[in-house]
Amino acid sequence: METPYNPLDKINLGANVAEALLSREAIPLADLTEFSGAGIYVLYYMGSFPAYALLAEENRKSRCAWPIYIGKAIPSGSRKGGVLTPEPSNALLARLREHAKSIETADNLFLADFHCRHLVVDDIWIPLGEALLIAWFSPVWNALVDGFGNHDPGRGRHQGMRPRWDVLHPGRAWAEKCRDRPESAEQIMIDVESYLRAHPIPSLFGRGRRTEG
C-alpha cells in the first residue's frame, strides 16, 4: 500500500506545540490576567482531596508535572479571508475562567489548589496539540471522571445522566437537575485511586520527566 503523502509529520508538529505549552511557567488558576487568543491549556491539582493524593503529591514535589485536565479553546466562527487572518478572540481566557467558576462552585474543591499552563496557538494546530497531550498523559478528568468541561444543557434538557465529575464534586446547580448515576461518589473515588496507580505520570514524549516550571 502506498504511504500517504505527508510533508510534515503530524506527531512531530503536535509535539512541538505540546512542548511549547509545557515549557511555560505554571501559574495559579486564580491569578489569570487579561490576554487574548485561543489555544490549549493544562490544569494541575495540588490540594488535599483524598482520591488525588498521588497526583497532588507529584505536583507539589515536581512543580506541576502531572495534569488533572487538558483542554482547548477554539475561536468561534471562521477566519477572515480564508486561512490567514484569524478573528479576534478571548476564547482561551474565557474557557479558563469558566473552569475556575466550576471549581469554585464545587463543595469539596478550592481554586487555590489549582495551577495552569496555557498557550495561545494558531487555531490550525490547537486540536493536534490537545489530542497529543491527552493521549500522552491520559489525565483523570479527561479519561475517567467525565463532565468537568460540560456546559449547562439548558432549560428542559437535563434528561441526561449526571456527569461523574459532578457526582464526585457536587455543587453546579444545573448538574443537580440531571438524572442520578448508579455510582456513588465513594465508588468513583475508588476508581480514581486505582486509575492513578495504574497510569502514573509518563516521561515527556520519551525525552525525560519534566520537573521544572
Side-chain angles (χ1 to χ4, degrees), residues 14-189:
N16 288 338
V17 175
E19 291 195 60
L21 169 64
L22 296 176
S23 68
R24 297 176 67 87
E25 180 181 359
I27 63 172
L29 186 57
D31 292 350
L32 292 171
T33 57
E34 294 291 331
F35 67 92
S36 61
I40 55 178
Y41 58 90
V42 182
L43 301 185
Y44 302 91
Y45 179 70
M46 290 182 283
S48 58
F49 191 74
Y52 306 136
L54 286 175
L55 177 149
E57 181 182 2
E58 181 69 31
N59 285 330
R60 288 190 294 267
K61 179 178 67 177
S62 302
R63 297 176 59 192
C64 297
W66 195 346
I68 195 168
Y69 187 76
I70 292 169
K72 67 178 182 293
I74 296 177
S76 60
S78 59
R79 290 168 166 243
K80 294 179 180 178
V83 297
L84 296 179
T85 308
E87 294 278 1
S89 171
N90 70 340
L92 185 52
L93 176 61
R95 187 63 167 157
L96 288 168
R97 285 179 169 169
E98 181 181 15
H99 289 328
K101 184 176 180 181
S102 291
I103 290 166
E104 287 183 310
T105 304
D107 294 345
N108 49 22
L109 295 175
F110 299 94
L111 187 59
D113 293 329
F114 288 83
H115 278 58
C116 70
R117 289 185 170 96
H118 59 79
L119 180 69
V120 174
V121 180
D122 188 293
D123 52 300
I124 287 178
W125 309 113
I126 291 172
L128 184 60
E130 183 210 29
L132 183 65
L133 282 164
I134 291 175
W136 192 260
F137 286 108
S138 297
V140 65
W141 282 4
N142 292 93
L144 182 70
V145 184
D146 70 283
F148 172 61
N150 290 10
H151 299 90
D152 185 342
R155 185 176 180 180
R157 299 181 179 179
H158 298 94
Q159 297 89 351
M161 194 174 294
R162 185 173 301 122
R164 292 185 112 205
W165 192 88
D166 291 279
V167 175
L168 191 58
H169 304 297
R172 294 194 290 196
W174 64 262
E176 296 302 317
K177 301 174 185 177
C178 297
R179 292 190 296 112
D180 289 341
R181 296 192 69 88
E183 312 105 308
S184 67
E186 290 73 20
Q187 289 171 319
I188 296 174
M189 286 182 68

Side-chain angles (χ1 to χ4, degrees), residues 65-67 136-138 199-206 208-210:
W66 195 346
W136 192 260
F137 286 108
S138 297
H199 298 82
I201 178 176
S203 61
L204 181 58
F205 310 125
R209 177 177 294 186
R210 167 180 182 80

